[in-house]
């Protein structure tokens, strides 16, 4: 069942003020009142993540954190097909998304998944959010999705793993066995099912997505901003921009990833995907 939007957000009707961020237009940012709207702007690539997008999102979140009159952040994707298709495979093959890259090391995948700010973040999921798109949603404080949105971690179908936090965050945000099924089978989750599981907060008609996200932001804006920010830091375990409780998870993921990405199956999975054929697994 979709949520009906009965009131128009006051904030969404305010004139947008463009905010300059890097990334060669892979990300657009605009401030409306106390809300910063971040738009992943690679619709031709289904908003897949490359270095430019990572830089743009990272700089936008830094702007939000360092600007006193930004009290809330909404992140969405350009177009109506995809919120984010995950990593751009060409960028990944070129090493742009490696943890050795300074931008990725500083902010994490998409400039977002380890970029812990005090301002509340809302994912407005406008289309499919598989792999990295789901991981951006998991890293957000709240989420609103169009009824056409789809979530999931299909990495095992490609011989790789959900290395941007999905493998450990999903089991902590929805029932464990349901999360394990999603991780181990790679099967997608509909928006309605995601709502039932508590992965997202609202499901709305596609045309009502941003109004719903801004309406949710307005509910936050009605409260004292410094109290909201302190409450978020406590709830999310943020200390000096870091979440110490997740440190071991990221280290374990990095170690597993190094071994996995060196296997024949990982190479076969990505090759088969690029060639649009079924992979032939060898277990080595």
């Amino acid at each position: 069942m979709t949520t009906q939007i009965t009131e128009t957000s006051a904030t969404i009707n305010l004139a947008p003020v463009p905010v300059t961020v890097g990334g060669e237009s892979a990300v657009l940012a605009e401030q409306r009142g106390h809300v910063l709207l971040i738009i992943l702007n690679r619709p031709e690539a289904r908003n897949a993540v490359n270095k430019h997008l990572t830089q743009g999102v990272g700089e936008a979140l830094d702007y939000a954190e360092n600007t006193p009159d930004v009290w809330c952040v909404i992140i969405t994707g350009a177009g109506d097909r995809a919120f984010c298709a995950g990593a751009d495979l060409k960028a990944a093959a070129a090493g742009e998304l490696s943890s050795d890259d300074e931008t990725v090391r500083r902010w994490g995948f998409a400039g977002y998944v380890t970029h812990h700010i005090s301002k509340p973040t809302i994912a407005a999921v406008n289309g499919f959010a598989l792999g990295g798109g789901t991981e951006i949603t998991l890293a957000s404080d709240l989420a609103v999705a169009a009824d056409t949105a789809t979530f999931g971690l299909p990495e095992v179908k490609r011989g790789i793993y959900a290395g941007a936090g999905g493998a450990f965050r999903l089991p902590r945000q929805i029932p464990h066995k349901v999360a394990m099924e999603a991780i181990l089978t790679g099967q997608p989750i509909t928006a309605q099912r995601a709502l039932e599981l508590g992965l997202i907060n609202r499901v709305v008609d596609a045309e009502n997505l941003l109004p719903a996200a801004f309406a949710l932001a307005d509910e936050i804006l009605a409260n004292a901003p410094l109290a909201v920010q302190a409450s978020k830091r406590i709830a999310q375990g943020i200390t000096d921009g870091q979440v110490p409780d997740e440190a071991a998870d990221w280290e374990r993921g990095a170690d597993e990833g190094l071994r996995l990405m060196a296997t024949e199956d990982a190479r076969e999975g990505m090759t088969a995907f690029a060639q649009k054929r079924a992979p032939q697994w060898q277990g080595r």
Side-chain angles (χ1 to χ4, degrees), residues 78-97:
D80 56 7
R81 293 185 58 239
F83 171 63
C84 174
D88 185 311
L89 293 181
K90 292 182 180 178
E96 290 185 13
L97 305 180

Side-chain angles (χ1 to χ4, degrees), residues 154-245:
E155 283 83 355
V156 292
K157 293 180 177 291
R158 314 284 181 245
I160 55 178
Y161 76 114
F168 60 85
R169 283 177 171 161
L170 189 64
R172 293 173 186 170
Q173 294 191 25
I174 67 175
H176 186 83
K177 283 186 170 56
V178 178
M180 292 306 298
E181 181 177 350
I183 292 168
L184 300 179
T185 68
Q187 293 300 311
I189 299 171
T190 66
Q192 185 59 43
R193 180 62 171 152
L195 177 66
E196 294 167 357
L197 293 170
L199 179 60
I200 59 178
N201 300 86
R202 308 276 193 280
V203 175
V204 297
D205 295 336
E207 61 270 22
N208 285 320
L209 180 65
L210 280 182
F214 272 93
L216 187 55
D218 281 352
E219 293 185 42
I220 296 171
L221 300 182
N223 302 310
L226 298 184
V228 167
Q229 293 161 34
S231 297
K232 171 178 172 173
R233 289 192 295 270
I234 295 167
Q236 301 286 36
I238 300 172
T239 302
D240 296 328
Q242 303 293 322
V243 177
D245 287 349

Side-chain angles (χ1 to χ4, degrees), residues 98-283:
S98 167
S99 59
D100 293 332
D101 183 272
E102 181 181 355
T103 305
V104 176
R105 186 166 59 250
R106 180 180 179 189
W107 292 319
F109 179 81
Y112 196 84
V113 300
T114 56
H115 199 160
H116 305 291
I117 66 171
S118 300
K119 312 298 174 70
T121 55
I122 301 171
V125 184
N126 53 299
F128 65 82
L130 300 176
T134 288
E135 288 171 315
I136 291 172
T137 305
L138 289 167
S140 300
D141 298 309
L142 303 170
V144 176
D147 53 11
T148 53
T150 306
F151 301 87
L153 300 175
E155 283 83 355
V156 292
K157 293 180 177 291
R158 314 284 181 245
I160 55 178
Y161 76 114
F168 60 85
R169 283 177 171 161
L170 189 64
R172 293 173 186 170
Q173 294 191 25
I174 67 175
H176 186 83
K177 283 186 170 56
V178 178
M180 292 306 298
E181 181 177 350
I183 292 168
L184 300 179
T185 68
Q187 293 300 311
I189 299 171
T190 66
Q192 185 59 43
R193 180 62 171 152
L195 177 66
E196 294 167 357
L197 293 170
L199 179 60
I200 59 178
N201 300 86
R202 308 276 193 280
V203 175
V204 297
D205 295 336
E207 61 270 22
N208 285 320
L209 180 65
L210 280 182
F214 272 93
L216 187 55
D218 281 352
E219 293 185 42
I220 296 171
L221 300 182
N223 302 310
L226 298 184
V228 167
Q229 293 161 34
S231 297
K232 171 178 172 173
R233 289 192 295 270
I234 295 167
Q236 301 286 36
I238 300 172
T239 302
D240 296 328
Q242 303 293 322
V243 177
D245 287 349
E246 288 187 347
D249 298 304
W250 288 110
E251 183 177 355
R252 185 181 305 108
D255 289 344
E256 291 282 358
L258 283 174
R259 289 191 291 271
L260 182 61
M261 296 306 290
T263 65
E264 292 181 22
D265 277 356
R267 289 190 292 273
E268 166 64 8
M270 289 184 282
T271 300
F273 179 74
Q275 296 177 353
K276 298 182 179 180
R277 62 172 174 80
Q280 301 297 314
W281 306 122
Q282 302 296 321

